[in-house]
């Protein structure tokens, strides 16, 4: 079995810009273990085809993570960030969480 990697969930927040205003940025909300994998495209129809077409990766999180929305982003252990396009609790049994993702880039260390 492969060990999961540490994934960080980030949400939008306002931070002071130093001149009396605010900038929107992402701040850490929480971290958990999970797996990210590349989605391979097929010509087969799917119930969630619209979400899958916009997604490049999927994250599987072994423990259910409530409260995740598509306004957040996920960052992997290598600093690569992904937009969340769809949050899924497969067959609604609370077994694990799947996040459909779209690759966004690499975070700055500044």
């Amino acid at each position: 079995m492969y060990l999961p990697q540490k994934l960080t969930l980030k949400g939008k927040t306002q931070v002071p810009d130093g001149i009396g205003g605010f900038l929107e940025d992402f701040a850490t909300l929480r971290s958990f273990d999970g797996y990210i994998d590349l989605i391979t495209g097929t010509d087969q129809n799917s119930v969630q085809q619209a979400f899958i077409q916009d997604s490049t990766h999927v994250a599987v999180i072994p423990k259910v993570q409530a409260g995740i929305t598509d306004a957040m982003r996920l960052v992997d252990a290598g600093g690569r960030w992904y937009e969340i396009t769809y949050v899924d609790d497969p067959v609604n049994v609370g077994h694990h969480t799947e996040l459909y993702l779209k690759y966004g880039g690499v975070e700055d260390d500044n």
Side-chain angles (χ1 to χ4, degrees):
M1 181 165 172
Y2 296 100
L3 294 175
Q5 66 174 308
K6 184 64 70 181
L7 303 174
T8 303
L9 184 67
K10 293 191 172 191
K12 289 182 183 175
T13 186
Q14 291 187 343
V15 295
D17 65 3
I19 57 172
F22 293 92
L23 298 172
E24 197 168 77
D25 200 3
F26 283 87
T28 298
L29 300 174
R30 65 181 182 259
S31 295
F32 40 78
D33 292 332
Y35 304 89
I36 294 180
D37 198 12
L38 190 64
I39 293 177
T40 57
T42 69
D43 291 335
Q44 297 177 358
N45 287 333
S46 168
V47 174
Q48 300 165 341
Q49 190 65 26
F51 303 114
I52 292 172
Q53 285 178 351
D54 289 340
S55 302
T56 58
H57 293 74
V58 65
V60 177
I61 304 161
K63 294 185 180 181
V64 174
Q65 298 291 323
I68 299 175
T69 71
D70 60 1
M72 299 171 182
R73 70 169 47 164
L74 194 68
V75 181
D76 70 13
R80 293 174 293 267
W81 64 269
Y82 304 84
E83 296 175 31
I84 298 172
T85 59
Y86 185 69
V87 181
D88 192 18
D89 174 5
V91 294
N92 295 317
V93 295
H95 180 266
H96 68 280
T97 301
E98 292 180 4
L99 303 176
Y100 288 88
L101 309 168
K102 183 175 183 179
Y103 178 73
V106 179
E107 288 192 329
D108 284 336
D109 288 337
N110 297 340

